């Protein structure tokens, strides 16, 4: 017989507040065209992207996270001192250790909140949300801050016409806390490591240890290119369109929700054609509001879902209490989908 007392958590968890930060610099397609052979029309029609935001030197991963989190805390009406854990999902914090989450927890004024980073690519927000729900129901935190933040402009090869136009920077954050009724459904998540090669970093950091990088690709000025994200666009596109619609349907089924019950659909903002195809496959009715934040935000990976959520609520296209299906998918390959009640 175990001598350990059971931990006591809340019956359920919910998102209580959301906040976003978009860097001040807006970058139109014309800027992207300075380095690649393409056209505004091609980028808009193939990806849906018209503009994206790129962070300046002051808009660091930590600074953007603190801004977004401050707004999420204000939206939730929760003081930072009550946050028990800070979970930061990012692939663009460039120090291996320590995690950026501890600096963010400190800058926000939390009371020594547990803090850690996760690397789950564009599914990172869903992974963080799932962990937060677990902590709250299990009792190890009353309130959890989940942050998705990226400076993907640092990891973009502007001379690669397959990716140069895709990525943007920004941070989105939510406060997750206790609830008396279910407000975050079961997560359907997973990984397909056999497809790891389809989205990856061009060169591992490890290569720079030897000092001999003479065989690495160079830019137009002859300088060795900084590692960047590269992908097999068509393979990822097909996977997203065929496999992720199934995962989204599984998340609806797991939550006991039919497409008719849904108010809002917030898929990862990777390509507007992927979004449109999922809407069709899922047979979402006309009344469902669909996030197409990609047009002015680009693909911000872990930040894309909370940023899109924040914008829909800010513009009044979605409202507090709406039932929303969220699904993230990307590098790994990994995915996570769930149904949530909007804050
Ligand atoms: C990147 C993406 C927009 C490219 O669109 P696509 O329709 O698949 O484009 P393709 O790579 O098949 O190329 C189609 C044609 O456009 C050309 N092309 C590629 N990039 C181009 C560009 N930037 N501008 C103009 N033409 C381009 C290709 O050379 C090809 O020409 P061809 O038909 O003469 O051979 C799309 O594949 C995509 O969004 N993939 C998934 C992205 C994603 O979800 N990533 C997840 C990260 S989380």
């Amino acid at each position: 017989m175990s001598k350990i007392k059971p931990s006591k958590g809340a019956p359920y968890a919910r998102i209580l507040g959301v906040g976003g930060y978009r860097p001040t610099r807006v970058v139109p397609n014309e800027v992207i065209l300075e380095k690649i052979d393409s056209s505004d029309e091609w980028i808009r029609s193939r990806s849906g992207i018209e503009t994206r935001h790129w962070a300046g030197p002051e808009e660091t991963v930590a600074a953007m996270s603190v801004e977004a989190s401050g707004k999420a805390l204000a939206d939730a009406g929760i003081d930072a001192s009550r946050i028990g854990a800070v979970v930061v999902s990012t692939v663009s914090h460039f120090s291996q250790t320590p995690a950026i989450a501890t600096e963010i927890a400190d800058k926000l004024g939390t009371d020594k909140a547990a803090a850690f980073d996760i690397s789950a690519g564009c599914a990172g927000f869903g992974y963080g949300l799932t962990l937060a729900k677990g902590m709250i129901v299990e009792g190890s935190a009353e309130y959890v801050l989940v942050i998705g933040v990226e400076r993907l402009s640092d990891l973009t090869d502007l001379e690669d016409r397959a990716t140069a136009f895709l990525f943007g920077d920004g941070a989105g954050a939510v406060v997750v806390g206790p609830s008396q009724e279910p407000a975050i459904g079961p997560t359907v998540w997973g990984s397909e490591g056999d497809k790891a090669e389809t989205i990856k970093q061009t060169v591992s950091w490890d290569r720079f240890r030897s000092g001999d990088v003479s065989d690495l690709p160079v830019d137009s000025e002859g300088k060795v290119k900084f590692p960047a994200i590269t992908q097999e666009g068509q393979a990822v596109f097909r996977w997203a369109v065929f496999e992720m619609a199934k995962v989204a349907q599984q998340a609806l089924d797991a939550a006991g929700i039919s497409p008719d019950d849904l108010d809002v659909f917030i898929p990862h903002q990777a390509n507007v054609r992927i979004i449109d195809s999922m809407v069709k496959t899922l047979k979402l009715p006309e009344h469902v509001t669909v996030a197409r934040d990609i047009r002015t935000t680009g693909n911000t990976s872990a930040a894309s879902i909370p940023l899109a959520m924040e914008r829909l609520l800010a513009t009044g296209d979605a409202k507090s209490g709406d039932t929303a299906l969220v699904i993230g998918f990307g590098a790994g390959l990994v995915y996570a989908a769930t149904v949530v009640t909007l804050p």
Side-chain angles (χ1 to χ4, degrees), residues 8-318:
K8 276 200 198 121
Y12 304 102
R14 66 177 299 141
I15 301 175
L16 297 166
V18 61
Y21 180 80
R22 294 159 202 269
T24 46
R25 183 176 174 204
V26 175
V27 178
N29 289 339
E30 284 69 31
V31 171
I32 306 295
L33 299 176
E34 289 168 10
K35 294 258 170 84
I36 56 166
D37 177 19
S38 185
S39 68
D40 179 44
E41 201 282 327
W42 191 93
I43 296 172
R44 281 176 196 248
S45 63
R46 302 311 289 170
S47 72
I49 301 168
E50 296 161 18
T51 57
R52 73 287 287 143
H53 297 254
W54 282 355
E58 309 293 316
E59 292 166 316
T60 61
V61 166
M64 294 194 293
S65 298
V66 169
E67 285 290 327
S69 301
K71 291 182 194 166
L73 287 163
D75 191 38
I78 298 292
D79 191 80
S81 60
R82 300 182 72 190
I83 294 292
V86 176
V87 183
V88 179
S89 184
T90 186
V91 297
S92 39
H93 165 52
F94 287 149
S95 278
Q96 202 74 46
T97 194
I100 195 66
T102 59
E103 182 183 326
I104 295 166
D106 179 56
K107 286 199 165 127
L108 284 169
T110 69
D111 183 15
K112 299 183 184 172
F116 57 95
D117 298 355
I118 54 176
S119 173
C122 305
F125 177 73
Y127 273 56
L129 192 62
T130 306
L131 295 182
K133 174 184 166 183
M135 287 183 241
I136 288 157
V137 172
E138 184 269 340
S140 49
E142 193 181 6
Y143 297 98
V144 180
L145 198 53
V146 178
I147 303 165
V149 55
E150 303 291 0
R151 275 180 61 112
L152 293 183
S153 59
D154 290 339
L155 282 170
T156 302
D157 177 356
L158 293 178
E159 294 174 352
D160 175 5
R161 74 202 286 254
T163 55
F165 57 92
L166 280 175
F167 301 120
D169 303 337
V174 294
V175 175
V176 187
S179 170
Q180 291 307 311
E181 55 177 19
I184 301 175
T187 302
V188 177
W189 58 349
S191 68
E192 296 185 32
D194 59 321
K195 300 183 185 66
E197 294 291 304
T198 56
I199 308 176
K200 62 177 184 184
Q201 186 169 315
T202 44
V203 182
S204 142
W205 302 118
D206 213 28
R207 274 304 320 276
F208 292 85
R209 280 203 306 174
S210 69
D212 179 13
V213 290
S214 53
D215 60 326
L216 294 184
V218 291
D219 64 17
S220 51
E221 290 163 13
K223 281 195 234 147
V224 171
K225 284 189 176 180
F226 194 70
I229 299 169
T230 176
Q231 67 169 351
E232 294 168 27
Q234 279 202 18
V236 178
F237 189 95
R238 277 196 303 272
W239 174 76
V241 162
F242 293 112
E243 302 304 325
M244 292 306 101
K246 290 182 209 160
V247 170
Q249 183 62 54
Q250 286 164 16
L252 286 177
D253 295 344
I257 297 281
S258 81
D260 273 340
D261 300 324
L262 263 192
D263 302 304
V264 184
F265 179 44
I266 312 179
H268 169 47
Q269 305 289 299
N271 186 315
V272 85
R273 290 185 295 135
I274 295 175
I275 297 170
D276 292 343
S277 160
M278 288 175 91
V279 168
K280 224 181 198 171
T281 310
L282 289 165
K283 298 193 173 65
L284 296 187
E286 283 283 307
H287 75 258
V288 176
T289 298
V290 179
R292 291 192 178 81
D293 192 39
I294 185 160
R295 288 190 182 124
T296 53
T297 306
N299 179 348
T300 56
S301 192
S304 92
I305 291 174
L307 275 175
M309 184 185 290
E310 184 258 356
R311 179 145 284 173
L312 286 176
L313 288 164
T315 55
D317 290 321

